[in-house]
Amino acid sequence: MDDEAVSLFRRQVKALQRRLRQEVPPLQGLSRPALQVLAAVSRKPGISPREVAAELQMTSSNVAAALREVEAGVFLERRKDPEDARRARLSLTAAGADAVARMRNERDTWLGRAVHAVLTPDEQRTLVEAGRLMDRLSCFEPA
């Protein structure tokens, strides 16, 4: 795959990511960063605010603002780290887990409808195989 094809592929993946983000329904007035924080905590229960910032490539002040939003909305709880009381560990409340599940369901519903509406059965099978290849690529670590 030459550089131009790699660049095109990256742009195509980004375009689909942007489109999927648009399918996230508004959640009680939460900002996009707050929704991203909820999703990160869902993926890694017990994560620290610093780890959230690193995973999402956000500044600590943006993460702090997002945490205030989701804590005020009772979607997230913060507990002291049992090994270091100066640090906090984050987990979703039942309402937070439900909110994340609804967001993911909305995106999956849109994507499923789009796949069936736009792609032929052969293209759908190709897309499944492409997903397997993308999983493999996501695990690549240069030596």
Side-chain angles (χ1 to χ4, degrees):
M1 196 170 200
D2 65 17
D3 289 348
E4 190 174 316
V6 168
S7 182
L8 174 62
F9 177 69
R10 181 187 50 75
R11 289 192 310 271
Q12 292 165 330
V13 169
K14 293 289 278 184
L16 182 57
Q17 287 175 325
R18 276 192 301 276
R19 186 63 178 92
L20 284 168
R21 279 194 301 268
Q22 291 174 354
E23 290 307 313
V24 175
L27 182 63
Q28 297 183 2
L30 292 180
S31 66
R32 186 164 309 281
L35 295 174
Q36 290 174 312
V37 166
L38 280 179
V41 174
S42 172
R43 286 188 300 275
K44 295 183 179 180
I47 193 170
S48 72
R50 179 176 290 166
E51 291 165 335
V52 169
E55 180 171 324
L56 298 177
Q57 298 179 347
M58 292 172 67
T59 64
S60 57
S61 60
N62 285 347
V63 169
L67 287 173
R68 284 191 295 276
E69 266 187 77
V70 294
E71 286 174 321
V74 300
F75 295 113
L76 184 130
E77 56 187 31
R78 184 189 303 243
R79 293 197 175 129
K80 288 185 179 183
D81 186 323
E83 296 174 15
D84 185 348
R86 298 170 296 174
R87 295 181 187 215
R89 294 291 169 186
L90 307 170
S91 59
L92 297 180
T93 63
D98 181 59
V100 170
R102 282 185 284 133
M103 288 186 311
R104 289 182 178 149
N105 186 50
E106 285 290 323
R107 280 191 304 226
D108 290 351
T109 298
W110 175 85
L111 185 56
R113 284 192 320 253
V115 165
H116 288 289
V118 174
L119 302 178
T120 67
D122 282 345
E123 289 171 328
Q124 291 176 30
R125 286 188 287 279
T126 300
L127 186 62
V128 169
E129 183 57 32
R132 288 188 194 107
L133 296 174
M134 291 172 70
D135 276 344
R136 285 177 42 204
L137 286 173
S138 72
C139 296
F140 173 73
E141 292 291 335

